[in-house]
């Protein structure tokens, strides 16, 4: 929650150096509106951050705060896009698309992120975020294509791009491709527990139960709370090994 609030603060507050470059050319009503918008969103983010960190409200309340902050960020980005506040259009479409995806509005997110890409065809993060939204909508081919492009455009690729493409491939049933992606994630980040989960699940569906068990055990070693999630999967894999090799298990 804290990391997401900080990211929102970075995305939607109107930076003062950038504001200084534009304010001289803005009509007075737009200048006043931009100043009010900047002050309002900053105040809201600070209040929500204090509530989440100092008072340590429960998870459901944190989620409600986060939804409120995301909703405000969408409104601010809309003001920016419509010209009430002057900013870089590709980044603003990206920011609103990101916020809409966080809120679960995947159609709106895809539309905004497509606009960001239209304005800047080399906007790697926009491709990655659109891929994330498409995956959640069930458009696995579209998600994979977007992550392919994001990876092509990024000199030092984040493990998250491979991880998300691996999840899309897993959902699509491309288990070999998913294994390749999760293996790449592990190469980049050997302590990425969920990559072991994804690779183990892909191996399970391919019938490689021994390797699946090994991956899931590594995931649990890195993140012990995964044991509850993976317990039934481990039991199923072991049962299948016993059936296939009764003399060994």
């Amino acid at each position: 929650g804290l990391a997401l609030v900080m990211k929102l603060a970075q995305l939607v507050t109107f930076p003062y150096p950038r504001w200084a470059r534009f304010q001289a050319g803005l009509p007075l009503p737009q200048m006043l509106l931009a100043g009010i918008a900047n002050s309002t969103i900053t105040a809201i983010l600070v209040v929500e951050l204090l509530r989440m960190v100092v008072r340590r409200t429960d998870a459901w309340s944190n989620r409600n705060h986060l939804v409120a902050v995301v909703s405000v960020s969408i409104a601010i980005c809309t003001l920016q896009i419509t010209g009430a506040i002057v900013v870089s259009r590709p980044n603003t479409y990206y920011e609103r698309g990101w916020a809409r995806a966080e809120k679960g509005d995947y159609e709106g997110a895809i539309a905004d992120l497509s606009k960001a890409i239209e304005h800047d065809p080399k906007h790697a993060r926009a491709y990655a975020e659109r891929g994330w939204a498409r995956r959640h909508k069930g458009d696995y081919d579209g998600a994979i294509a977007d992550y392919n492009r994001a990876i092509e455009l990024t000199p030092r690729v984040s493990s998250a791009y491979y991880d998300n493409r691996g999840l899309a491939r897993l959902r699509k049933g491309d288990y070999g491709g998913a294994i390749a992606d999760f293996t790449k994630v592990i190469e980049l980040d050997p302590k990425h527990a969920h990559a072991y989960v994804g690779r183990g699940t892909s191996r399970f569906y391919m019938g490689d139960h021994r390797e699946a068990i090994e991956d899931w055990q590594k995931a649990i070693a890195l993140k012990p709370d995964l044991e509850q999630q993976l317990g039934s999967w481990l039991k199923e894999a072991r049962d299948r090994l016993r059936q296939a090799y009764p003399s060994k298990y």
Side-chain angles (χ1 to χ4, degrees):
L2 175 59
L4 191 53
V5 169
M6 295 305 291
K7 183 174 181 181
L8 280 170
Q10 179 185 7
L11 287 174
V12 301
T13 53
F14 198 67
Y16 289 105
R18 183 169 61 177
W19 165 244
R21 292 202 299 270
F22 287 118
Q23 65 176 5
L26 283 178
L28 182 59
Q30 285 188 345
M31 190 184 341
L32 291 173
L33 180 58
I36 292 168
N38 181 65
S39 299
T40 301
I41 189 62
T42 302
I44 290 171
L45 286 166
V46 168
V47 169
E48 294 303 323
L49 183 59
L50 288 173
R51 284 181 179 178
M52 294 173 68
V53 175
V54 178
R55 296 175 60 183
R56 294 189 177 277
T57 53
D58 59 37
W60 176 249
S61 182
N62 280 351
R63 179 171 178 78
N64 287 340
H65 293 161
L66 203 52
V67 168
V69 174
V70 168
S71 297
V72 173
S73 73
I74 291 170
I76 297 299
C77 289
T78 301
L79 288 174
Q80 294 173 341
I81 289 168
T82 56
I85 307 174
V86 181
V87 291
S88 165
R89 286 289 174 86
N91 283 335
T92 305
Y93 277 116
Y94 166 78
E95 290 160 10
R96 189 173 70 174
W98 178 87
R100 282 178 162 169
E102 288 293 326
K103 196 176 178 183
D105 176 12
Y106 302 124
E107 288 284 358
I110 290 167
D112 276 342
L113 294 163
S114 296
K115 275 286 187 183
I117 291 165
E118 182 183 319
H119 283 280
D120 180 3
K122 294 186 177 181
H123 200 310
R125 289 180 301 156
Y127 281 106
E129 285 295 331
R130 192 174 69 177
W132 190 87
R134 283 176 163 172
R135 176 170 65 83
H136 280 75
K137 276 190 86 265
D139 178 10
Y140 303 125
D141 287 329
I144 291 166
D146 276 342
Y147 277 108
N148 288 344
R149 188 66 179 135
I151 289 168
E152 288 172 7
L153 291 169
T154 309
R156 297 183 63 183
V157 180
S158 166
S159 63
Y161 290 2
Y162 287 106
D163 186 47
N164 280 288
R165 190 174 69 178
L167 289 169
R169 285 175 162 170
L170 174 57
R171 291 296 183 92
K172 185 185 174 183
D174 176 11
Y175 303 125
I179 289 170
D181 277 339
F182 292 129
T183 299
K184 184 67 176 178
V185 174
I186 292 164
E187 288 175 6
L188 294 170
D189 181 4
K191 295 186 178 181
H192 197 302
H194 288 282
Y196 284 105
V197 174
R199 191 172 70 176
T201 304
S202 303
R203 285 174 163 171
F204 176 87
Y205 283 123
M206 289 189 74
D208 298 332
H209 301 115
R210 186 181 295 104
E211 291 82 358
I213 290 169
E214 290 175 1
D215 274 342
W216 290 334
Q217 287 175 334
K218 287 176 184 174
I220 292 168
L222 289 167
K223 195 173 181 182
D225 60 353
L226 287 171
E227 186 169 6
Q228 184 176 359
Q229 173 189 333
L230 295 172
S232 60
W233 288 88
L234 282 164
K235 182 180 182 302
E236 179 67 21
R238 286 169 179 147
D239 287 345
R240 294 192 183 190
L241 278 175
R242 289 190 192 100
Q243 291 171 10
Y245 308 100
S247 62
K248 292 185 178 180
Y249 296 93

